[in-house]
Amino acid sequence: MAKKQSLTNSQWYTIDLHIHTPASSDYQQPEVTFLDILQKAEARGLDMIAITDHNTVAGYRKMMEEIHSLEFLDKLGRLLPAEKQRLEEYRRLHSKIQVLPGFEFTATFGFHILCIFPPEKSIRELEHLLLSLNIPPDQIDEGSQTVGATEDVLTVYRVVNENGGLVIAAHANSSNGVAMRGFNFGGQTKIAFTQDPHLHALEVTDLEQKGPRTTAAFFNGTKPEYPRRMHCIQGSDAHRLTSDPTRKKNFGVGERATDVLLPECTFEALLELFKSNDFSRTRPHQHKEEAAGFDFVQNAQEEGPNIIQDFHESMTVRGGKLYAILADVCAFANTNGGTLYIGISSDSKKPPAGIQDVEQSIHTLEKEINNRISPPLHCTIDALDYKGKKIIRILIPRGEEPPYAVDDNKIYIRDEAETGLAVRDEIVSLVLRNKIAILPAPSEINPFDSVQPSEGIRDDLGVEPRTGVEVLPPEERQGKQYFTMRDLRNGNVVKNVTRASARKLWHYAIDRYTETVKSFEPTRIKWLGDYGLLRKHKQGNITRFDLILRTPQGYRYFFGVTEDGIHGQWRKVTGIERVEKSSVIRRAGCLRGGKAAPDGVSTLK
């Protein structure tokens, strides 16, 4: 069922959910007090913080014990002037800043997890939880990140979530992070650790960066093996009050924070945000002048249509534009979920058309989605102001009961930036999605496993591109060619595809395959060992590659591969690696005071 969302009374709050105290054994300024930390949080403009010492709540406990002791003396009328001043300062700061209890847990093999709780959670409960997760009793107050054998990552996620906690993977893309940066193995484990339903968000260290190679972009739901889009935040991981002058990335309190759009500054509101599929309500903390220029709609336009978002300038019945929106809603639900923007073009340079009667239009969309898409689908629809115009946004979840259909029998799926009718094999996959567990049970996971080829699949699959489509040799029946297409994004194999029935990318791939095989001449191909480049071309803002791989069994053909699907030796044969090296040189020139020469080579002073 479609539902209308209103954030009219919401506002941006600044949070830092990763703050240590001297209760952590590796804290760098042991003379710092809890009042110092709260005062620094106020000075940095923080509205909510979490105390997350290593495998202990000793720091939070000591702060609360000090407050309770001062309050007890206050009731007895025995407060000294200095004590009275401290108590008043604690009360003032706690009225301004929401302080949450928590801990940074060290799971098996050293992975770090932020476990954060509502302020009414008792310290005794938290300590009991730590003991149940195998923190040794004699180390419960040590604050050390090395505590021996504890619980595995997925068990920690589940237990903390079941006990009402917010579960965030700490510095997921860095050391001790569950994204397993620098590991050349562990494919299935990385998927499990970053897609588990008990995990609410990822803390990343590159949130302020833009581009397709950032952690947030990697976990944005566009990759088939990572279909769940993850909320990404940043935190200071402060082990000191102020930043280290000798190490700029050794942050102090609030020096790497996140802004969140909430109806109120509470733990419950924050948890609701992380459970939602609205990814426009988090951003790296910005000063007022920077925040005024922050616009997630414009950012979406700059990214353009893809597997998780699209744009419609209007929603008129005439011309089938309303039906096209319903088809996209259905396709997103059957794929990875996504966002639709109504009233604007995908071209960020084109002014928005806007929607005239927003309330009536939202009512129409709710009615059409509820009546024409089955089974029932819970979408969220809201109105946004964008460049002086009213537009509509539809948030579509990844459906839990696929396949979804428009008018009972038209099943659509999303393939990169295209919505199309599902063919038989894709419908079968959607049906099976209901019956097959996406992730293995924790007991079945080997923390150092690797992705193995499926039975019957050749051993050279690991070197293939990760996007685009592979065309297998066709079969001819009664004078008509039937192709088998292999989607490189998810490994789905679709048989009996004809040129006439093929969707846009498949149609292109079949035409290129037929032309290539017909006039095949190996000496005219750019080779790097067994890796070959057939063609490089632009499609709008996207660069695509047609590739060939030489194997003992023959040649394999890959068409429409995008840059994010290029890896390994493919980066060299396509020239991407050379471009990246040139960019690094240019950036180095700028950082050292040089300037980029016209030919792209940096001139260093």
Side-chain angles (χ1 to χ4, degrees):
M1 178 183 296
K3 59 181 179 180
K4 182 178 177 181
Q5 173 178 276
S6 175
L7 294 174
T8 306
N9 298 321
S10 295
Q11 68 180 77
W12 288 99
Y13 295 97
T14 304
I15 65 174
D16 187 348
L17 302 181
H18 196 167
I19 294 177
H20 293 265
T21 77
S24 288
S25 63
D26 55 352
Y27 199 77
Q28 298 162 15
Q29 297 173 317
E31 72 281 1
V32 166
T33 68
F34 298 111
L35 270 180
D36 290 336
I37 292 172
L38 293 177
Q39 288 168 340
K40 180 58 67 174
E42 179 189 32
R44 299 294 302 183
L46 299 180
D47 300 295
M48 180 186 293
I49 66 172
I51 303 299
T52 53
D53 287 308
H54 291 295
N55 304 297
T56 186
V57 289
Y60 183 83
R61 186 187 71 231
K62 289 175 183 177
M63 179 184 69
M64 297 309 295
E65 285 174 348
E66 181 182 358
I67 294 172
H68 293 156
S69 176
L70 291 171
E71 288 177 333
F72 180 72
L73 291 173
D74 186 32
K75 287 181 181 179
L76 296 177
R78 297 178 62 183
L79 275 178
L80 298 176
E83 293 172 332
K84 182 178 181 180
Q85 186 179 359
R86 278 214 316 277
L87 179 57
E88 289 176 349
E89 183 69 348
Y90 266 125
R91 286 171 172 167
R92 185 186 71 83
L93 291 167
H94 274 266
S95 70
K96 293 187 66 175
I97 303 169
Q98 179 71 265
V99 182
L100 303 177
F103 47 82
E104 183 176 12
F105 190 84
T106 304
T108 305
F109 298 106
F111 295 109
H112 287 190
I113 305 162
L114 295 176
C115 309
I116 300 166
F117 299 86
E120 60 270 16
K121 194 78 167 177
S122 75
I123 294 170
R124 181 170 294 181
E125 283 183 273
L126 296 180
E127 290 181 331
H128 181 269
L129 185 60
L130 282 165
L131 293 172
S132 72
L133 293 172
N134 292 334
I135 297 297
D138 61 343
Q139 297 188 50
I140 196 72
D141 287 339
E142 293 299 311
S144 172
Q145 60 177 305
T146 54
V147 287
T150 57
E151 280 289 0
D152 65 273
V153 169
L154 297 185
T155 297
V156 178
Y157 289 172
R158 176 182 56 79
V159 171
V160 172
N161 187 22
E162 289 175 350
N163 280 271
L166 177 62
V167 185
I168 301 173
H171 36 75
N173 61 315
S174 189
S175 57
N176 301 104
V178 298
M180 303 176 72
R181 182 178 177 179
F183 285 71
N184 295 321
F185 45 83
Q188 292 297 327
T189 302
K190 179 177 176 180
I191 293 171
F193 286 0
T194 58
Q195 298 283 281
D196 189 83
H198 297 294
L199 177 66
H200 296 109
L202 303 176
E203 181 196 47
V204 302
T205 62
D206 58 352
L207 192 64
E208 296 178 346
Q209 299 176 21
K210 293 184 177 181
R213 292 178 177 82
T214 62
T215 308
F218 184 90
F219 292 103
N220 69 357
T222 62
K223 295 174 175 57
E225 65 271 40
Y226 299 92
R228 182 187 171 206
R229 186 174 184 180
M230 296 301 301
H231 288 279
C232 291
I233 65 168
Q234 62 181 8
S236 65
D237 192 8
H239 283 72
R240 51 190 296 120
L241 195 62
T242 57
S243 61
D244 187 339
T246 62
R247 294 172 56 204
K248 290 185 178 180
K249 290 189 177 181
N250 192 0
F251 296 104
V253 172
E255 292 180 356
R256 186 165 62 185
T258 303
D259 292 338
V260 291
L261 185 63
L262 302 174
E264 57 183 357
C265 189
T266 63
F267 174 87
E268 290 74 20
L270 186 65
L271 184 60
E272 179 277 327
L273 167 60
F274 288 138
K275 287 182 176 180
S276 77
N277 67 328
D278 188 347
F279 297 90
S280 66
R281 294 166 57 195
T282 57
R283 67 187 184 196
H285 174 56
Q286 300 166 326
H287 298 294
K288 288 184 179 179
E289 60 273 14
E290 296 171 329
F294 181 86
D295 197 317
F296 68 88
V297 179
Q298 184 171 331
N299 288 346
Q301 276 188 300
E302 291 171 356
E303 291 176 7
N306 56 36
I307 198 170
I308 58 168
Q309 70 179 23
D310 212 338
F311 307 82
H312 294 268
E313 288 195 86
S314 69
M315 51 176 285
T316 57
V317 175
R318 181 175 294 180
K321 295 182 179 178
L322 178 59
Y323 185 87
I325 292 172
L326 293 177
D328 277 352
V329 171
C330 176
F332 284 135
N334 281 328
T335 313
N336 289 352
T339 304
L340 288 177
Y341 297 94
I342 317 299
I344 58 172
S345 163
S346 60
D347 184 355
S348 59
K349 297 178 181 178
K350 189 174 181 179
I355 299 295
Q356 293 297 324
D357 191 339
V358 171
E359 290 295 326
Q360 181 57 44
S361 297
I362 289 177
H363 176 72
T364 298
L365 288 168
E366 290 172 342
K367 180 180 176 182
E368 292 292 307
I369 291 172
N370 291 339
N371 293 343
R372 300 184 64 181
I373 293 182
S374 58
L377 181 65
H378 295 273
C379 299
T380 300
I381 306 175
D382 59 8
L384 306 171
D385 292 310
Y386 182 58
K387 295 184 177 179
K389 297 284 188 178
K390 288 283 188 182
I391 66 171
I392 293 173
R393 178 181 61 162
I394 309 176
L395 302 172
I396 305 107
R398 186 175 193 258
E400 297 178 354
E401 300 179 79
Y404 290 83
V406 179
D407 298 335
D408 293 328
N409 56 19
K410 297 181 183 69
I411 299 172
Y412 293 91
I413 62 169
R414 192 76 176 171
D415 184 6
E416 294 191 11
E418 181 184 0
T419 288
L421 284 167
V423 298
R424 176 190 175 279
D425 289 356
E426 290 167 328
I427 295 172
V428 171
S429 295
L430 289 170
V431 173
L432 291 175
R433 195 170 96 191
N434 265 336
K435 299 181 178 179
I436 300 175
I438 296 175
L439 298 176
S443 60
E444 297 172 348
I445 292 179
N446 178 352
F448 297 106
D449 64 0
S450 59
V451 180
Q452 298 296 329
S454 302
E455 185 177 351
I457 301 296
R458 291 153 40 169
D459 291 337
D460 57 353
L461 291 187
V463 300
E464 65 194 12
R466 294 170 181 154
T467 61
V469 63
E470 178 179 8
V471 182
L472 278 62
E475 297 180 12
E476 187 165 325
R477 300 195 294 270
Q478 297 181 347
K480 183 180 287 189
Q481 287 188 320
Y482 292 85
F483 291 85
T484 297
M485 316 296 288
R486 186 167 178 271
D487 190 333
L488 297 173
R489 295 179 54 83
N490 52 30
N492 287 346
V493 177
V494 180
K495 302 177 181 178
N496 300 314
V497 178
T498 66
R499 188 179 182 279
S501 69
R503 293 197 294 270
K504 189 175 180 181
L505 178 60
W506 294 0
H507 194 283
Y508 165 82
I510 289 173
D511 282 350
R512 290 289 302 153
Y513 173 86
T514 303
E515 180 183 336
T516 302
V517 171
K518 184 177 179 180
S519 57
F520 185 68
E521 178 53 60
T523 58
R524 295 172 60 185
I525 296 171
K526 177 186 175 181
W527 292 98
L528 180 65
D530 292 327
Y531 298 75
L533 174 64
L534 293 171
R535 183 179 181 231
K536 174 182 177 180
H537 65 288
K538 275 275 194 181
Q539 186 179 37
N541 295 325
I542 301 174
T543 301
R544 293 185 180 272
F545 303 88
D546 298 339
L547 307 171
I548 183 171
L549 179 66
R550 187 162 41 201
T551 76
Q553 295 84 11
Y555 293 100
R556 297 176 65 193
Y557 301 89
F558 313 107
F559 298 98
V561 179
T562 54
E563 286 192 30
D564 57 336
I566 301 295
H567 65 101
Q569 292 291 89
W570 296 115
R571 303 179 71 80
K572 296 180 181 178
V573 76
T574 58
I576 288 179
E577 192 167 280
R578 292 196 303 276
V579 171
E580 289 179 341
K581 286 181 179 178
S582 297
S583 297
V584 170
I585 293 173
R586 286 197 297 272
R587 287 196 297 270
C590 293
L591 290 172
R592 296 181 186 179
K595 61 180 181 178
D599 62 356
V601 178
S602 180
T603 304
L604 303 181
K605 290 184 178 181

